[in-house]
Amino acid sequence: MAAVILIHRGVTVLSRWVGRIEKVLIANRGEIACRVMRTAKKMGVRSVAVYSDADRDSMHVAMADEAYHIGPAPSQQSYLSMEKVLEVAKMSGSHAVHPGYGFLSESTEFAEACKQEGIIFIGPPSSAIRDMGIKSTSKHIMSAAGVPIIGGYHGEDQSDERLQAEAARIGYPVMIKAVRGGGGKGMRIALTDSDFLEQLESARREARKSFNDDVMLVEKFVEDPRHVEVQVFGDMHGNAVYLFERDCSVQRRHQKIIEEAPGPDISPAVRRKLGEAAVRAAKAVNYVGAGTVEFIMDAQHNFYFMEMNTRLQVEHPVSEMITGTDLVEWQLRVAAGERLPLLQDDIVLRGHSFEARIYAEDPNNDFLPGAGPLLHLSTPSPDQHTRIETGVREGDEVSAHYDPMIAKLVVWGEDRSAALKKLRYCLRQYNIVGLNTNIDFLLSLSGHPEFEAGNVTTSFIPQHYADLFPAPMTPSGETICQAALGLLLQEQEHTQGFTQTSAEPFSPFGSSNGWRNNIKFNRNVTLRLGDKTVDVVIIYNKDGSYSMQIGEEVYHVTGEVEMDGGASFLHCCVNGVKSRPKLVILDNTVHLFSMEGSSQVSVPVPKYLAGVSSGAHGAAVAPMTGTIEKVMVKVGDKVAVGDPLMVMNAMKMEHTIRAPKSGVIKRVFFSEGSQANRHAPLVELEEEEEEAAQREGSSQ
């Protein structure tokens, strides 16, 4: 290896050991680990994976040339353990460490530790991580560099009183942010003085959990802004470029859900100003590698520095799609001391790209994260203009210990309209069974007229809530017939498999085709649609078709199951209309997927087989598996509807559990630090005697 030393005005500003990278350790998991490994393989660089107990059989472990176990599932004991990661780096003979995003990617201490061990840290110098990671420091540096900033309090006095006083001076609403924050963690909005302290405490708890640092800053919250960020890249030779902007305005819980590049309705002049400001920001801290400068943009396209993420961003693929670059390859080359592959005038913007993040979550329940097995997973076919960035396969488990993202669907088109059309087409082909996902929500979002027009802000979801969360559609009669047909064909397949192995394979008593001598066989089937049931009368016709009666309507139905690419398709005809939905039957439920949408129709489980309902009577239950961070009540406390009871931490997010009704705490089932499974009762509430008596009297 050789040392690269850069001197600016007589002062050493950058000194790094560089050299040929032949083996790289990826200090991460999931889709970003797989993403880095693909480029490493393309470049002939060997990859080393690390994994926790929860990831022993994961996709990134299978892809790596070597893989090393580094501890139990909790990230603090595995992926966040600098000592364990560095031990593996040395043991494996890795020349460099790629931190991905999250975990150790923006840790000054980890970057310094790599340097001390003579291992290349694929990222910026630790000084840049430190300066840009502390938001108060970064604001001062940006202001000095001529980058527009927004006013706020970034001081050392962190007392509740001082922060609340500064919030009042700035004027509500305000944003409370962890100075070392990122990824939406440790961020809260206080709308009024009365809720400031509650939001401050919540932000601090989450910041301690995510960054081991709870120092906060307070800024004026710009209402209805756009979130626009610029991809920058620097090398060790003083070069820095921008690869245009991304619009990441559409968010939930301060986390991006859909991103696009370039930003809609941004003029070439504003685009150039954004890029030049971002390059000034990068040069102000002698930046090396991939970074993102994030701005808030108002309705007049004025923009203000928000923060700089000193790592590769989750949404980097959209920048690659519009510039024809591989930013991970750039990272590896620049970390080895090479110059940037392209200078500013060589970087050309072509077309438009979208990225949709597919999460295991329930949009209809405040985007509550989920976990569980991917019982069925089928995706659109990747091609030159369609990328699927994922770290899971069918049968894998989405773990409760980590972020619930399943995949990133990335598409490119000649213009925004073409790219959006491609995105929606591919979302229809992304089919998952086993847990809740946000795919239907992404379809509602990407099909909204205001989104199609490019009128996006960070308030897009609450502003258009009614349109984005329509009442669920009852499956049509045709869909019910398709589901019934799927069940009948499955029954026939199972029966044929049984009779072929029996002693009398040709016995008519082993047939399931409904044959009867001189009469037509009919049967009644009850199906469940959500919380309702529907009765279907099925008549077996002699030509192998079916007549299905639902209420007063009668449908003529034919069809068969076809296998294509490992998936089952129901090639059917209902009243002369042919269709070919994808068919998945699991756990007494028929899942139908088509370009018109998805439907679920189930067979009711008999009461004697049904499990008990989740949660005890009068109890507040855990909405997911997680850790109890804080218990706010004790036995004997009186609570009102909506009062906070506990704070849970799951999927790297904090969730406050509130009282479902008024009453007195009878029992508290969990203590701080303990694990609670999904649907486990957390506390038991009983009504006060006076209220119970009043209610009993009013009912007489």
Side-chain angles (χ1 to χ4, degrees):
M1 290 190 178
V4 171
I5 301 175
L6 297 184
I7 298 177
H8 180 62
R9 295 178 181 174
V11 179
T12 300
V13 295
L14 178 61
S15 177
R16 303 181 77 190
W17 288 97
V18 298
R20 187 175 180 85
I21 298 175
E22 295 183 351
K23 182 185 280 192
V24 59
L25 182 148
I26 297 93
N28 218 296
R29 63 177 301 279
E31 65 87 12
I32 185 58
C34 297
R35 164 74 186 90
V36 175
M37 289 175 192
R38 280 194 293 271
T39 289
K41 183 177 182 179
K42 179 182 74 174
M43 297 175 67
V45 175
R46 287 172 290 167
S47 59
V48 177
V50 291
Y51 64 91
S52 70
D53 288 344
D55 285 335
R56 190 176 299 275
D57 299 315
S58 67
M59 184 173 167
H60 82 276
V61 172
M63 284 184 64
D65 294 304
E66 302 173 29
Y68 295 79
H69 177 251
I70 55 169
S75 54
Q76 290 87 350
Q77 302 172 53
S78 50
Y79 297 107
L80 283 171
S81 174
M82 291 188 292
E83 296 78 12
K84 291 179 179 178
V85 171
L86 284 173
E87 183 182 350
V88 170
K90 291 184 289 184
M91 186 189 314
S92 63
S94 296
H95 304 119
V97 172
H98 193 301
Y101 53 73
F103 293 137
L104 297 171
S105 63
E106 294 181 281
S107 168
T108 305
E109 296 78 12
F110 184 62
E112 284 287 346
C114 288
K115 180 180 177 181
Q116 291 170 7
E117 296 290 348
I119 297 170
I120 298 171
F121 176 77
I122 300 179
S126 58
S127 59
I129 299 175
R130 181 182 62 251
D131 290 344
M132 302 309 280
I134 302 174
K135 289 182 171 60
S136 53
T137 303
S138 69
K139 300 280 182 176
H140 296 305
I141 295 174
M142 293 303 100
S143 180
V147 179
I149 65 170
I150 196 165
Y153 174 71
H154 316 117
E156 295 182 3
D157 186 348
Q158 288 288 302
S159 66
D160 291 0
E161 295 77 15
R162 178 61 185 273
L163 292 175
Q164 192 167 23
E166 290 293 338
R169 178 186 63 80
I170 295 166
Y172 290 95
V174 297
M175 174 74 82
I176 306 167
K177 294 199 289 190
V179 297
R180 291 184 181 272
K185 306 296 191 301
M187 292 174 58
R188 295 292 186 274
I189 297 169
L191 299 175
T192 64
D193 188 70
S194 61
D195 69 349
F196 179 83
L197 292 178
E198 181 184 349
Q199 298 300 329
L200 173 63
E201 184 182 358
S202 180
R204 279 174 168 161
R205 279 196 305 269
E206 196 168 270
R208 282 194 297 269
K209 187 77 174 177
S210 300
F211 315 112
N212 200 29
D213 189 316
D214 63 359
V215 177
M216 294 286 145
L217 61 82
V218 182
E219 291 180 337
K220 178 67 178 175
F221 177 62
V222 179
E223 296 190 72
D224 294 335
R226 288 174 65 175
H227 179 131
V228 179
E229 61 188 34
V230 179
Q231 177 70 59
V232 294
F233 222 108
D235 64 19
M236 300 180 197
H237 306 277
N239 301 306
V241 297
Y242 63 88
L243 290 92
F244 309 109
E245 80 283 353
R246 302 184 285 254
D247 192 299
C248 309
S249 299
V250 181
Q251 305 177 9
R252 88 287 183 258
R253 295 198 306 263
H254 307 302
Q255 287 187 309
K256 303 157 191 173
I257 189 171
I258 192 165
E259 303 98 345
E260 60 182 298
D265 195 34
I266 291 181
S267 68
V270 172
R271 177 165 295 125
R272 185 177 64 254
K273 289 179 182 178
L274 274 167
E276 290 172 350
V279 168
R280 287 200 302 274
K283 288 189 172 182
V285 291
N286 305 299
Y287 200 83
V288 172
T292 298
V293 184
E294 301 192 352
F295 297 97
I296 287 176
M297 178 178 282
D298 64 21
Q300 289 72 45
H301 288 187
N302 300 307
F303 56 88
Y304 308 93
F305 175 82
M306 184 163 55
E307 64 183 2
M308 184 175 187
N309 289 309
T310 54
R311 53 174 167 79
L312 197 66
Q313 290 278 88
V314 176
E315 58 273 17
H316 75 273
V318 292
S319 296
E320 294 179 321
M321 295 293 262
I322 64 167
T323 57
T325 55
D326 181 338
L327 295 183
V328 174
E329 180 177 346
W330 281 33
Q331 283 187 300
L332 291 170
R333 293 191 181 283
V334 165
E338 296 183 26
R339 293 179 180 272
L340 288 176
L342 298 173
L343 295 179
Q344 194 64 62
D345 291 343
D346 304 318
I347 302 171
V348 179
L349 192 163
R350 293 187 180 90
H352 202 97
S353 181
F354 281 97
E355 174 182 283
R357 302 190 190 187
I358 297 174
Y359 282 100
E361 64 183 14
D362 186 358
N364 294 309
N365 190 11
D366 197 26
F367 296 95
L368 192 70
L374 294 161
L375 300 177
H376 172 82
L377 172 63
S378 54
T379 71
S381 300
D383 57 34
Q384 184 181 359
H385 300 148
T386 307
R387 285 169 57 175
I388 297 168
E389 301 287 347
T390 187
V392 293
R393 303 147 299 190
E394 184 174 279
D396 285 350
E397 185 108 1
V398 176
S399 172
H401 294 284
Y402 312 113
D403 189 87
M405 188 166 69
I406 296 171
K408 303 179 308 193
L409 174 61
V410 188
V411 300
W412 180 92
E414 292 286 349
D415 53 31
R416 189 175 188 272
S417 177
L420 187 55
K421 184 178 179 181
K422 176 84 168 176
L423 176 69
R424 290 177 53 77
Y425 184 84
C426 290
L427 281 170
R428 292 288 191 203
Q429 296 177 299
Y430 218 113
N431 308 142
I432 294 173
V433 175
L435 34 67
N436 289 324
T437 75
N438 65 338
I439 292 175
D440 286 343
F441 174 76
L442 289 169
L443 281 163
S444 294
L445 172 62
S446 58
H448 194 282
E450 288 298 304
F451 187 87
E452 290 179 345
N455 298 327
V456 291
T457 71
T458 56
S459 302
F460 189 91
I461 293 176
Q463 282 178 353
H464 303 288
Y465 190 90
D467 296 332
L468 297 175
F469 295 89
M473 296 278 291
T474 302
S476 65
E478 289 79 4
T479 299
I480 296 170
C481 289
Q482 291 174 350
L485 177 63
L487 289 168
L488 291 174
L489 294 175
Q490 182 194 57
E491 181 184 78
Q492 287 182 16
E493 181 184 1
H494 289 172
T495 303
Q496 288 169 4
F498 174 77
T499 56
Q500 286 172 5
T501 59
S502 70
E504 297 185 41
F506 303 108
S507 169
F509 299 104
S511 172
S512 62
N513 62 7
W515 178 87
R516 294 294 186 274
N517 189 22
N518 297 323
I519 62 170
K520 289 185 179 180
F521 172 61
N522 68 77
R523 62 193 285 195
N524 296 325
V525 175
T526 299
L527 299 176
R528 181 176 294 280
L529 314 175
D531 57 356
K532 298 179 181 178
T533 59
V534 60
D535 293 321
V536 183
V537 178
I538 302 174
I539 300 172
Y540 289 67
N541 299 318
K542 291 186 176 181
D543 61 358
S545 66
Y546 304 92
S547 295
M548 299 187 185
Q549 182 173 349
I550 304 171
E552 300 299 320
E553 293 287 328
V554 178
Y555 302 84
H556 184 255
V557 183
T558 61
E560 61 184 1
V561 174
E562 297 178 339
M563 297 299 296
D564 186 359
S568 299
F569 290 86
L570 186 63
H571 196 286
C572 61
C573 181
V574 179
N575 285 353
V577 179
K578 293 186 177 182
S579 58
R580 190 174 176 266
K582 187 179 296 179
L583 173 70
V584 180
I585 303 178
L586 287 170
D587 296 333
N588 297 310
T589 301
V590 180
H591 302 265
L592 296 165
F593 300 97
S594 70
M595 298 312 290
E596 284 69 48
S598 61
S599 299
Q600 295 181 22
V601 179
S602 61
V603 179
V605 178
K607 288 185 178 180
Y608 68 90
L609 291 177
V612 296
S613 60
S614 60
H617 177 68
V621 300
M624 70 188 77
T625 299
T627 303
I628 304 300
E629 287 290 309
K630 186 173 183 180
V631 178
M632 299 162 148
V633 293
K634 62 183 182 300
V635 174
D637 284 355
K638 295 181 181 179
V639 295
V641 174
D643 283 354
L645 304 175
M646 293 186 182
V647 175
M648 289 187 69
N649 193 289
M651 296 290 195
K652 298 164 64 177
M653 296 296 296
E654 189 177 271
H655 306 270
T656 300
I657 312 301
R658 300 184 182 274
K661 65 178 184 178
S662 299
V664 178
I665 303 295
K666 184 178 179 181
R667 295 177 67 187
V668 178
F669 296 106
F670 291 90
S671 58
E672 293 181 3
S674 57
Q675 284 280 123
N677 290 326
R678 185 184 182 204
H679 292 163
L682 301 176
V683 303
E684 185 178 349
L685 280 164
E686 63 179 359
E687 291 181 304
E688 292 188 76
E689 292 182 9
E690 185 178 329
E691 288 184 10
Q694 286 178 353
R695 194 174 68 174
E696 187 175 326
S698 65
S699 64
Q700 292 176 351

